[in-house]
C-alpha cells in the first residue's frame, strides 16, 4: 500500500454512490464504519447538490465489532426501506467493512423486501471508483431490464428512438453534456427515450429495451451495460464520443446511420474552425501540450489539440487502467508513448520532463502546472467546485467545441498579458508602486510616500533553478541571473529557449547555466 496526498479515484463504493445519487427512487445501504460518511461531502460541497446522497450508513464503531454487526446491517436496511420507500435498493460494503465479511447481499435477501434489492460485490482492494460506477449501473440495468428481454434470436429493425447512457452525479460537465447531445439528437429527428443513470428511476431502466439503439457518452461508466443490452436486446450502440468539431460530425453521421436518417449539417454556431484558420491563431500553432485524465476525455482532447488547434501533443496519459490499451493506441497515433498510472508524482515528473507550454488535465495537474509555471486547463475528473459552474458549459457537441476552444486558448492568451506585465514590472512608469498616469503627477494615494513620487520597485533576485533534467539525475542547473533573464523571454517561446540552452550546455559539459551561457546558446541557434 502506498500513502498518497492525492488520488485520482476513490474506492469502488464511491462509484456506486455516484450512480445512486444520480438516480431517483433508489436507495443505497452501505455497511461502513463511523467515518466513511465523508463521501457525502463530494456531492454536497464539491458538486453543490441541494440534497445529500440517498445513502444509509450502518456506521458501526469499534465496540460493535465484538457484537452482531450482521444484525446491525439488517436493521439499517429495514429502517431505510420503511423511511424512504424506494423502487429499488442497493446494498454493499465499504472498503473497511469488506474485511469483516458480513455478506450484505445475503443478509438483505433474508428480509424479503417487496422491491428489487441489488447486491454489489465491489472488491475495494483491486478496483476503483469508475469501475465501481460501471459495475453498479450494469447490475441495476440487468436487474430492472433483464425480465423484459426478448427471446434469443429476436430480430430488431432500425428505428429513431435511443437511450443516452453514462452520465452520473459528480461527473465532469455531465449535466451540460446531456442537454447539448439531446439537442443534437432531437434536431436530427431522433427521439430520446431514457437518459440513465442521471435522472432515471428503476422503472425507467426497465424501459431501456424499448429504444432502437443506445448513445454511449462515457464508456468508463456505460460501456459494460451497453454491451449487455446489445447481447440481450439486440440494441446497437454508438462508439464515437462527440468531443470536438470532428468527433461531433462523426457522431452525428454514426447516429444517422443507426437511425436511417440523412447526416445533418449544423455548423452555424461553430466558432472554432474559422478562428483556427485565421491569422490571429497562428502564434498558437505548434504549441506543446501535455494531456492527462480519464480515458474518454484524454483521447478526445489529444485529437482536438492535434487536428483542430494544430498543437503538438508531447504527452498523453490516463489513470483509467481498464482503458490503457485504447490510450496507448491513441498515443501511438501522435508518435509518443502513453503514460498509464494513478500516481500523481509520476505525472508531475513526466510533465516536467516534457516541458509543455500547456497542460490539459485534472485538478491535480492544475496544481502541478501552477508549481511549474505552465498554463493549464481542466478537461477531466477529478475536479473541484470551480469546475461545476452554474452556467451552461458542456464539453460535447457544437457548443462543447466552442467551450473547449475558449477553455484551452484563454490560458495561453492571458499568459501573454502576464508576460507583458512582468516585462514592464521594473519600469519607472509602470511598476507596482507607481501612481495611475491619468491622475497626474500630484495624485494622492498609497503610491505616494510624501514626496509625490513612488519609489522604484525593488528588484528581487531569483533563486537558482534546477532543470527537469537535474531532477532526473542530470546535474545541469540554472544560475539566478540566467533564470531571471529567461523570464524576460515571451512565454510562447520561453520553453523552446530553455530547451535549446540546456541542450547547448549539455553538449559542452556545462553544469550551471550562466547569463553568458544563455547568450552563447542564443547566438549558436540563431545561425
Amino acid at each position: 500500500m502506498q500513502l498518497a496526498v492525492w488520488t485520482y479515484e476513490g474506492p469502488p463504493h464511491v462509484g456506486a454512490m455516484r450512480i445512486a445519487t444520480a438516480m431517483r427512487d433508489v436507495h443505497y445501504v452501505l455497511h461502513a464504519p463511523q467515518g466513511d460518511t465523508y463521501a457525502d461531502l463530494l456531492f454536497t460541497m464539491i458538486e453543490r447538490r441541494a440534497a445529500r446522497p440517498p445513502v444509509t450508513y450502518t456506521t458501526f464503531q469499534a465496540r460493535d465489532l465484538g457484537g452482531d454487526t450482521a444484525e446491525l446491517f439488517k436493521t439499517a436496511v429495514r429502517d431505510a426501506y420503511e423511511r424512504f420507500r424506494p423502487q429499488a435498493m442497493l446494498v454493499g460494503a465499504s472498503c473497511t467493512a469488506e474485511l469483516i465479511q458480513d455478506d450484505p447481499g445475503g443478509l438483505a435477501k433474508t428480509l424479503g423486501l417487496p422491491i428489487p434489492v441489488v447486491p454489489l460485490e465491489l472488491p475495494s482492494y483491486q478496483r476503483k471508483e469508475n469501475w465501481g460506477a460501471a459495475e453498479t449501473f450494469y447490475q441495476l440495468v440487468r436487474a430492472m431490464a433483464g425480465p423484459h428481454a426478448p427471446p434469443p434470436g429476436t430480430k430488431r429493425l432500425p428505428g429513431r428512438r435511443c437511450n443516452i447512457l453514462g452520465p452520473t452525479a459528480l461527473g465532469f460537465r455531465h449535466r451540460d453534456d446531456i442537454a447539448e447531445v439531446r439537442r443534437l439528437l432531437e434536431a436530427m429527428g431522433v427521439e430520446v427515450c431514457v437518459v440513465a443513470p442521471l435522472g432515471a428511476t428503476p422503472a425507467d431502466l426497465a424501459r431501456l429495451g424499448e429504444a432502437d439503439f443506445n448513445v454511449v457518452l462515457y464508456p468508463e461508466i456505460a460501456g459494460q451495460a451497453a454491451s449487455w443490452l446489445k447481447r440481450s436486446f439486440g440494441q446497437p450502440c454508438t462508439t464515437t464520443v462527440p468531443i470536438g468539431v470532428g468527433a461531433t460530425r462523426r457522431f452525428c453521421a454514426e447516429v444517422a446511420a443507426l437511425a436511417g436518417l440523412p447526416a445533418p449539417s449544423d455548423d452555424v454556431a461553430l466558432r472554432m474552425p474559422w478562428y483556427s484558420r485565421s491569422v490571429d491563431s497562428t502564434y498558437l500553432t505548434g504549441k506543446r501540450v501535455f494531456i492527462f485524465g480519464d480515458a474518454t476525455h484524454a483521447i478526445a482532447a489529444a485529437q482536438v489539440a492535434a487536428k483542430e488547434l494544430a498543437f503538438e501533443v508531447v504527452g498523453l496519459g490516463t489513470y483509467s487502467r481498464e482503458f490503457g490499451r485504447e490510450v496507448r493506441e491513441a498515443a501511438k497515433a501522435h508518435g509518443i508513448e502513453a503514460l498509464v498510472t494513478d500516481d500523481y508524482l509520476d505525472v508531475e515528473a513526466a510533465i516536467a520532463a516534457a516541458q509543455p507550454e500547456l497542460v490539459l488535465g485534472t485538478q491535480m495537474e492544475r496544481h502541478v502546472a501552477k508549481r511549474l509555471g505552465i498554463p493549464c486547463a481542466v478537461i477531466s475528473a477529478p475536479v473541484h467546485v470551480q469546475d461545476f459552474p452554474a452556467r451552461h458549459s458542456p464539453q460535447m457537441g457544437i457548443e462543447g467545441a466552442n467551450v473547449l476552444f475558449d477553455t484551452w486558448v484563454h490560458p495561453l492568451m492571458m499568459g501573454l498579458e502576464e508576460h507583458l506585465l512582468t516585462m514592464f514590472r521594473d519600469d519607472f512608469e509602470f511598476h507596482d508602486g507607481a501612481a495611475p498616469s491619468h491622475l497626474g503627477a500630484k495624485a494622492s494615494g498609497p503610491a505616494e510616500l510624501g514626496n509625490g513620487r513612488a519609489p522604484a520597485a525593488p528588484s528581487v533576485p531569483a533563486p537558482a533553478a534546477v532543470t527537469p533534467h537535474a531532477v532526473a539525475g542530470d546535474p545541469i542547473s540554472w544560475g539566478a541571473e540566467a533564470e531571471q533573464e529567461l523570464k524576460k523571454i515571451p512565454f510562447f517561446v520561453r520553453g523552446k529557449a530553455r530547451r535549446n540552452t540546456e541542450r547547448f550546455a549539455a553538449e559542452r559539459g556545462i553544469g550551471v547555466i550562466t547569463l553568458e551561457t544563455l547568450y552563447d546558446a542564443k547566438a549558436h541557434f540563431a545561425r
Side-chain angles (χ1 to χ4, degrees):
M1 182 178 290
Q2 181 180 3
L3 182 64
V5 177
W6 288 334
T7 179
Y8 288 99
E9 295 183 86
H13 73 265
V14 173
M17 287 182 65
R18 288 176 58 189
I19 302 299
T21 305
M23 296 184 65
R24 295 177 290 121
D25 292 328
V26 171
H27 200 81
Y28 184 22
V29 179
L30 185 62
H31 202 21
Q34 192 175 39
D36 273 5
T37 55
Y38 73 90
D40 278 16
L41 293 177
L42 297 173
F43 303 92
T44 57
M45 183 184 74
I46 295 179
E47 194 178 11
R48 297 185 291 187
R49 296 182 71 90
R52 65 174 297 273
V55 180
T56 293
Y57 302 88
T58 55
T59 58
F60 59 82
Q61 302 177 51
R63 64 172 178 265
D64 296 318
L65 296 177
D68 192 350
T69 54
E71 188 59 37
L72 185 68
F73 176 78
K74 290 196 290 185
T75 301
V77 173
R78 286 194 206 96
D79 292 346
Y81 172 72
E82 291 297 331
R83 179 181 178 184
F84 298 104
R85 295 286 177 171
Q87 292 182 17
M89 187 173 284
L90 301 169
V91 295
S94 71
C95 46
T96 312
E98 185 181 329
L99 300 174
I100 62 178
Q101 300 181 342
D102 271 339
D103 184 21
L107 293 172
K109 189 176 181 179
T110 64
L111 299 177
L113 297 179
I115 59 171
V117 178
V118 180
L120 300 177
E121 297 291 339
L122 307 177
S124 299
Y125 300 96
Q126 289 82 38
R127 300 289 188 168
K128 293 197 172 183
E129 180 181 327
N130 278 342
W131 183 90
E135 176 69 13
T136 302
F137 185 50
Y138 164 66
Q139 294 295 347
L140 272 168
V141 169
R142 282 196 62 172
M144 300 299 115
H148 307 282
T154 302
K155 292 185 178 180
R156 177 183 288 274
L157 298 175
R160 301 182 180 184
R161 297 175 301 169
C162 76
N163 302 313
I164 298 178
L165 305 180
T168 70
L170 208 65
F172 181 62
R173 309 291 170 84
H174 288 194
R175 175 202 65 191
D176 299 337
D177 285 347
I178 293 172
E180 183 64 19
V181 172
R182 183 190 284 271
R183 187 193 68 80
L184 271 178
L185 294 170
E186 291 176 348
M188 294 174 62
V190 175
E191 177 188 350
V192 177
C193 296
V194 176
V195 176
L198 191 60
T201 66
D204 292 329
L205 297 187
R207 299 190 295 109
L208 287 174
E210 297 175 6
D212 301 302
F213 63 95
N214 292 310
V215 170
V216 179
L217 296 188
Y218 311 99
E220 290 93 341
I221 306 299
Q224 188 178 5
S227 296
W228 181 83
L229 288 167
K230 185 175 182 178
R231 294 192 305 270
S232 302
F233 289 85
Q235 292 173 316
C237 62
T238 60
T239 58
T240 303
V241 179
I243 297 179
V245 177
T248 298
R249 289 170 176 161
R250 293 193 300 274
F251 170 80
C252 290
E254 186 177 13
V255 168
L258 291 174
L261 295 167
S265 177
D266 186 11
D267 294 350
V268 177
L270 274 173
R271 297 178 179 89
M272 181 193 288
W274 68 262
Y275 187 88
S276 297
R277 293 191 298 266
S278 72
V279 68
D280 291 340
S281 72
T282 54
Y283 87 94
L284 298 175
T285 301
K287 294 306 168 196
R288 296 163 59 85
V289 59
F290 189 101
I291 301 167
F292 192 89
D294 66 48
T296 294
H297 289 90
I299 293 172
Q303 190 74 7
V304 173
K307 301 297 183 182
E308 300 176 20
L309 291 173
F311 291 163
E312 179 187 356
V313 179
V314 296
L316 176 60
T318 185
Y319 56 82
S320 304
R321 293 184 180 275
E322 295 86 356
F323 289 80
R325 179 183 300 175
E326 290 83 350
V327 175
R328 289 187 179 96
E329 287 298 319
K332 284 182 184 178
H334 298 282
I336 56 178
E337 185 176 345
L339 176 65
V340 181
T341 181
D342 57 4
D343 188 337
Y344 66 92
L345 295 176
D346 291 344
V347 181
E348 181 170 5
I351 292 174
Q355 296 187 10
E357 291 153 299
L358 176 66
V359 174
L360 303 176
T362 72
Q363 66 161 330
M364 297 184 190
E365 283 67 54
R366 176 163 49 201
H367 292 304
V368 169
K370 186 176 182 180
R371 272 202 303 278
L372 297 176
I374 305 171
C376 179
V378 173
I379 62 162
S380 162
V383 294
H384 216 310
V385 61
Q386 67 198 78
D387 297 303
F388 287 98
R391 67 185 183 280
H392 182 63
S393 186
Q395 301 290 285
M396 296 184 179
I398 302 298
E399 190 59 26
N402 293 331
V403 171
L404 289 183
F405 175 72
D406 286 344
T407 307
W408 298 5
V409 169
H410 284 175
L412 295 173
M413 302 284 282
M414 297 308 296
L416 177 59
E417 181 176 318
E418 289 175 10
H419 168 71
L420 292 174
L421 292 173
T422 302
M423 189 166 63
F424 289 102
R425 179 175 293 165
D426 296 328
D427 188 276
F428 78 95
E429 191 174 2
F430 298 108
H431 64 76
D432 292 341
S437 59
H438 68 283
L439 297 180
K442 295 183 178 181
S444 60
E448 273 194 45
L449 297 180
N451 57 4
R453 194 175 176 187
S459 178
V460 181
V466 180
T467 71
H469 303 89
V471 176
D474 193 331
I476 296 176
S477 61
W478 284 74
E481 287 186 348
E483 183 74 19
Q484 191 72 12
E485 189 69 14
L486 182 69
K487 291 179 180 178
K488 296 179 181 179
I489 299 174
F491 81 99
F492 43 85
V493 291
R494 189 182 304 150
K496 184 177 181 180
R498 179 185 284 275
R499 291 191 298 275
N500 285 345
T501 305
E502 289 171 1
R503 180 153 63 99
F504 177 85
E507 290 172 352
R508 288 157 179 76
I510 299 173
V512 179
I513 295 174
T514 64
L515 198 58
E516 183 180 359
T517 310
L518 179 61
Y519 286 128
D520 288 346
K522 179 182 178 182
H524 173 76
F525 288 103
R527 292 172 187 169

